[in-house]
């Protein structure tokens, strides 16, 4: 009986001490636009945005209230505000557009996004970033880049965040 208990305890400890699954690894770097759907019907709100330079990449973090939203990305050469099509006053040789199926306004029409609408951090890859607007259930951001930088997108929880890394050359 004791050997059976010892076997179960050892098996449980071995299971607990295993390395995390490979899905915990950061995603691959992308160099094309993507469309990602999570098939989740929970509402999502965009509440804030911050950015920083790191060794080997620049990082943008979009704070969320809710799960990871569906999103689309694509490289662009022009930056325009949603709805009006007016040019956003940022320049870059290339840029990445990201549209999140998430609201930046609540049901009463009050803005809940409290991050910067336009900022020019002048990092190694990210030259500037802008909130282009919210239209038809989608919040759109543009990232002006110094070069066509590879990027990766992933989700962090507690609190919920969408992370976009832009690789340095």
């Amino acid at each position: 009986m004791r050997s059976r208990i010892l076997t179960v305890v050892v098996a449980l400890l071995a299971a607990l001490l295993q390395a995390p699954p490979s899905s915990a690894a950061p995603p691959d770097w992308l160099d094309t636009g993507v469309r990602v759907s999570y098939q989740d019907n929970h509402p999502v709100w965009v509440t804030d945005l911050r950015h920083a330079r790191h060794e080997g990449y620049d990082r943008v973090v979009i704070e969320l209230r809710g799960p990871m939203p569906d999103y689309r990305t694509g490289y662009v050469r022009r930056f325009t505000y949603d709805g009006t099509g007016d040019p956003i006053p940022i320049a870059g040789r290339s840029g990445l557009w990201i549209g999140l199926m998430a609201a930046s306004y609540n049901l009463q029409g009050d803005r809940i996004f409290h991050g910067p609408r336009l900022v020019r951090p002048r990092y190694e890859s990210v030259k500037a970033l802008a909130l282009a607007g919210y239209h038809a259930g989608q919040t759109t951001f543009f990232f002006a880049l110094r070069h066509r930088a590879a990027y990766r997108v992933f989700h962090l929880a507690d609190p919920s965040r969408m992370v976009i890394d832009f690789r340095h050359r």
Side-chain angles (χ1 to χ4, degrees):
M1 179 70 167
R2 284 186 183 175
S3 66
R4 191 177 298 172
I5 293 172
L6 183 59
T7 302
V8 170
V9 169
V10 169
L12 285 172
L13 285 174
L16 291 173
L17 295 175
Q18 278 184 344
S22 61
S23 63
D28 291 334
W29 294 95
L30 302 169
D31 63 358
T32 62
V34 296
R35 175 182 229 125
V36 178
S37 178
Y38 290 94
Q39 309 268 329
D40 191 338
N41 293 330
H42 290 89
V44 182
W45 291 271
V46 176
T47 60
D48 204 354
L49 179 140
R50 60 183 189 277
H51 51 88
R53 184 191 182 289
H54 295 275
E55 186 65 36
Y57 61 92
D58 298 334
R59 174 166 284 179
V60 175
V61 178
I62 300 172
E63 303 238 357
L64 306 168
R65 191 176 311 145
M68 182 74 156
D70 295 353
Y71 66 91
R72 294 183 305 158
T73 66
Y75 286 101
V76 296
R77 293 192 181 271
R78 291 185 42 218
F79 313 104
T80 58
Y81 286 109
D82 285 355
T84 66
D86 292 339
I88 297 173
I90 57 176
R93 299 183 67 171
S94 180
L96 189 78
W97 163 88
I98 185 165
L100 290 73
M101 295 310 295
S104 51
Y105 289 82
N106 65 19
L107 296 175
Q108 291 74 36
D110 302 319
R111 196 176 100 170
I112 59 171
F113 176 77
H114 299 292
R117 296 182 64 87
L118 177 62
V119 64
R120 296 176 179 89
R122 296 181 174 92
Y123 295 141
E124 191 167 328
S125 291
V126 177
K127 186 174 180 181
L129 47 107
L131 170 68
Y134 173 70
H135 179 71
Q138 177 174 284
T139 298
T140 307
F141 293 95
F142 283 102
F143 307 101
L145 306 173
R146 294 186 184 282
H147 54 90
R148 185 175 169 138
Y151 68 99
R152 61 185 176 190
V153 179
F154 56 98
H155 182 251
L156 296 174
D158 298 323
S160 182
R161 295 155 342 262
M162 173 184 260
V163 178
I164 306 120
D165 291 338
F166 295 92
R167 188 163 48 192
H168 295 165
R169 282 191 178 199

